[in-house]
Amino acid sequence: MIDSDLLSHHFYAQPTLTVAERLLGQRLVRLVDGQRLVGVIAETEAYVGFDDSASHASKGRTTRTEVMFGPAGCSYVYLIYGMYNMFNIVTEQTDVPAAVLIRAVEPTEGIAVMQRHRRQPPNATPQRLLTNGPGKLSQAFAIDRSLNRWDLTAGRDLWIEAAAAPSPASISTGPRIGIDYADANDRSAPWRFWMTGNRFVSK
DNA sequence: GCAATGATGCACT
DNA sequence: GTGCATCATTGCG
């Protein structure tokens, strides 16, 4: 890896909506048993501060949400529905609880290994089912809670590399998914970002 | 194609 | 005990 490609604390410490949008097109990299797994980030969601009723952190500082109050550039990985891991990246200044959920990537390297992690047969079709959702991409990239609170700026095992940014015209926004429990204004906030037309964006 | 449903572990009242 | 920032499968037509 070239050091200058590694996204730094400075990048993640920006406002959460900025980070969520600018993560599109960047490369998610996972190293497992010397094998590089890479995907281009295609879809993200922002969870912003105490006042966002959709965010786990709106309930305050607990064992589970503590990491969201910590420094930017750490991972927040939690288990949902008893079986799926959600991969988030902490943003903003310390004590401001916020994070970006990575919802989908377009796989580019290590696809055969990802298929094994997903228990799909080699050459399975269609390939889009490999990583077109937050639970699926975590499974494909072997991301689980052992990587909670991981420092993504260290360039070890799990990190993000800079790549060409998509043009603003090719980015779409809309409401976040799966947050029916949130207040109406938070449900409708356009805090989901995706690359328009990318076939790996979740349903 | 789509809607309905069950799986499953853990943080938190 | 309750409720999830989800997914695969089933059953319909």
Side-chain angles (χ1 to χ4, degrees):
Chain A
M1 182 191 54
I2 300 165
D3 262 5
S4 58
D5 286 347
L6 179 65
L7 291 190
S8 67
H9 173 86
H10 192 72
F11 176 90
Y12 299 113
Q14 299 175 94
T16 307
L17 296 179
T18 303
V19 176
E21 181 165 1
R22 292 192 56 190
L23 277 172
L24 294 176
Q26 312 308 298
R27 289 195 300 267
L28 174 64
V29 184
R30 172 86 167 106
L31 208 53
V32 37
D33 297 330
Q35 167 75 50
R36 232 174 102 97
L37 308 179
V38 183
V40 176
I41 296 174
E43 182 183 4
T44 62
E45 278 179 2
Y47 289 85
V48 189
F50 304 101
D51 297 333
D52 178 3
S53 64
S55 171
H56 296 160
S58 66
K59 301 287 196 282
R61 206 185 268 249
T62 66
T63 312
R64 184 204 201 190
T65 61
E66 176 68 28
V67 61
M68 291 183 77
F69 291 78
C74 276
S75 68
Y76 168 39
V77 182
Y78 66 91
L79 190 69
I80 192 70
Y81 300 116
M83 54 185 96
Y84 298 109
N85 292 286
M86 300 285 107
F87 170 54
N88 301 252
I89 303 172
V90 174
T91 58
E92 309 266 359
Q93 303 305 305
T94 297
D95 293 328
V96 177
V100 172
L101 170 67
I102 309 302
R103 284 194 60 88
V105 305
E106 176 167 354
T108 56
E109 287 179 50
I111 289 173
V113 174
M114 293 185 201
Q115 285 173 329
R116 196 174 338 124
H117 290 156
R118 294 267 297 130
R119 297 165 186 272
Q120 287 185 352
N123 306 315
T125 58
Q127 195 181 84
R128 57 187 295 279
L129 297 179
L130 202 50
T131 54
N132 66 332
K136 298 180 199 179
L137 83 84
S138 294
Q139 199 174 43
F141 280 72
I143 295 171
D144 62 23
R145 284 174 307 149
S146 67
L147 288 168
N148 190 27
R149 295 169 168 270
W150 197 256
D151 179 5
L152 300 172
T153 66
R156 286 192 4 249
D157 294 1
L158 181 64
W159 65 88
I160 297 183
E161 293 176 1
S167 76
S170 64
I171 294 173
S172 297
T173 66
R176 294 168 291 178
I177 292 183
I179 54 164
D180 290 349
Y181 57 86
D183 296 345
N185 52 322
D186 291 326
R187 260 184 281 138
S188 61
W191 291 353
R192 173 174 170 245
F193 300 82
W194 68 94
M195 296 177 73
T196 309
N198 185 293
R199 66 191 205 287
F200 288 88
V201 171
S202 63
K203 184 227 98 165

